Amino acid sequence: MQVFEGLVYIDPPKTASTYISKFLKHCCIHEELYYNKHLGFCGDMRKFSNSLIFISVRHPLSQYRSLYRFGREGKGAVYEQIREAGYSYLYDPSRGSFSNFMDFMLDKTKRSVFYRDDYSKIDRICDMGLISYRHLVRSINCPFDIIARCDGIGQLYDIYIRRKIWHLAVRQERLSRDLLFLCDMSRSLSKERAKRFIEESPMANTTRKTEEYDYEICSDLERMLIRKEALLIDHIY
């Protein structure tokens, strides 16, 4: 989470968050008040009553592809947790593939591997994919308290729709356009600075693309992806 006077950014991993954070530091007319990378919020929302709150999003399949590329380079929290759990072969080109990686990522029995996200907390309610889960727990205030009290997926979706703390979603797929629209919506940003930044600054924190990977997945995996990532796909995409 990144906070400026009048503007709050919620930054889930792998959603161009590094680039957006630098964009805000360059284009905001106010000093940064607070920054804690990828952190959600639990507290009194009244402190943000006069702020525009936005979140960055990216299609789940694109995020999984990015996570796979990142892991092939030995980078990222997902890679580290998979390696610690003894499944690093998923990134070995002689033994694994993107399809194998996706099969692993969508397997409910492997959820405890991702302990840094407290991912297994969702098990009691539903079978939700990691990308939608990461979006969910940054979209609502005190998410783990809410998850602990929820009776089922219907109630959880209702809470997400009614109580999400952000007002605007910036899509990675149309990032420049959405950031300029954000400038139109927020008095805290200089549109002239934004235009210059977008023209002059390349995307940050991108993985090397020196290798071509086979990103094809079978129809069964595609259906599973759509079902497990329904929160993000249905409500954003």
Side-chain angles (χ1 to χ4, degrees):
M1 175 179 271
Q2 190 173 16
V3 179
F4 299 84
E5 182 181 337
L7 187 66
V8 178
Y9 170 42
I10 304 167
D11 61 335
K14 306 306 290 181
T15 59
S17 58
T18 300
Y19 182 86
I20 296 171
S21 178
K22 290 182 178 180
F23 168 88
L24 294 175
K25 288 179 180 180
H26 182 83
C27 303
C28 193
I29 63 175
H30 304 297
E31 292 294 319
E32 181 181 80
L33 301 176
Y34 173 81
Y35 179 57
N36 196 324
K37 191 173 184 178
H38 304 323
L39 187 71
F41 182 74
C42 184
D44 187 352
M45 287 298 299
R46 288 176 296 183
K47 66 175 72 175
F48 304 130
S49 60
N50 295 318
S51 296
L52 175 68
I53 305 175
F54 77 100
I55 191 170
S56 50
V57 296
R58 185 178 184 178
H59 192 281
L61 182 56
S62 177
Q63 285 202 53
Y64 282 122
R65 287 169 173 165
S66 181
L67 287 170
Y68 182 67
R69 285 198 305 268
F70 219 39
R72 286 288 293 266
E73 296 175 11
K75 297 178 180 178
V78 167
Y79 164 76
E80 291 173 1
Q81 290 169 100
I82 288 176
R83 178 181 54 79
E84 289 172 9
Y87 297 101
S88 58
Y89 68 86
L90 290 167
Y91 300 103
D92 182 345
S94 67
R95 299 176 62 194
S97 66
F98 179 65
S99 184
N100 297 144
F101 174 78
M102 285 298 299
D103 191 52
F104 180 92
M105 295 299 295
L106 296 175
D107 184 349
K108 184 177 180 179
T109 66
K110 303 298 193 298
R111 196 159 289 164
S112 61
V113 168
F114 306 103
Y115 63 91
R116 297 186 194 178
D117 287 281
D118 290 316
Y119 188 22
S120 59
K121 288 182 181 291
I122 201 70
D123 283 350
R124 186 182 61 83
I125 301 174
C126 63
D127 187 7
M128 181 180 289
L130 178 66
I131 308 304
S132 287
Y133 173 78
R134 283 178 159 185
H135 174 78
L136 171 71
V137 298
R138 291 166 176 84
S139 291
I140 53 180
N141 189 14
C142 299
F144 299 119
D145 293 343
I146 289 173
I147 289 171
R149 296 195 303 267
C150 266
D151 295 327
I153 184 64
Q155 184 184 16
L156 186 62
Y157 273 37
D158 182 62
I159 289 171
Y160 167 79
I161 292 168
R162 290 187 298 103
R163 296 173 56 183
K164 62 179 181 289
I165 63 176
W166 50 268
H167 310 114
L168 181 70
V170 168
R171 295 192 190 186
Q172 185 266 352
E173 295 84 359
R174 57 186 195 196
L175 187 57
S176 295
R177 184 174 69 179
D178 280 5
L179 288 176
L180 291 176
F181 178 73
L182 179 68
C183 292
D184 292 333
M185 300 296 292
S186 173
R187 295 180 179 178
S188 297
L189 293 170
S190 163
K191 194 165 187 177
E192 291 305 312
R193 292 186 196 174
K195 288 177 179 178
R196 287 197 301 271
F197 182 90
I198 291 169
E199 289 174 359
E200 298 171 1
S201 302
M203 284 286 290
N205 199 27
T206 53
T207 53
R208 297 190 306 270
K209 296 185 180 179
T210 54
E211 296 181 64
E212 289 295 327
Y213 304 121
D214 180 4
Y215 287 124
E216 295 298 317
I217 57 175
C218 67
S219 56
D220 286 344
L221 269 177
E222 186 174 2
R223 285 192 291 269
M224 190 184 303
L225 171 74
I226 292 170
R227 177 172 59 83
K228 296 196 175 192
E229 299 293 354
L231 179 79
L232 196 52
I233 293 173
D234 290 352
H235 291 96
I236 304 292
Y237 290 92

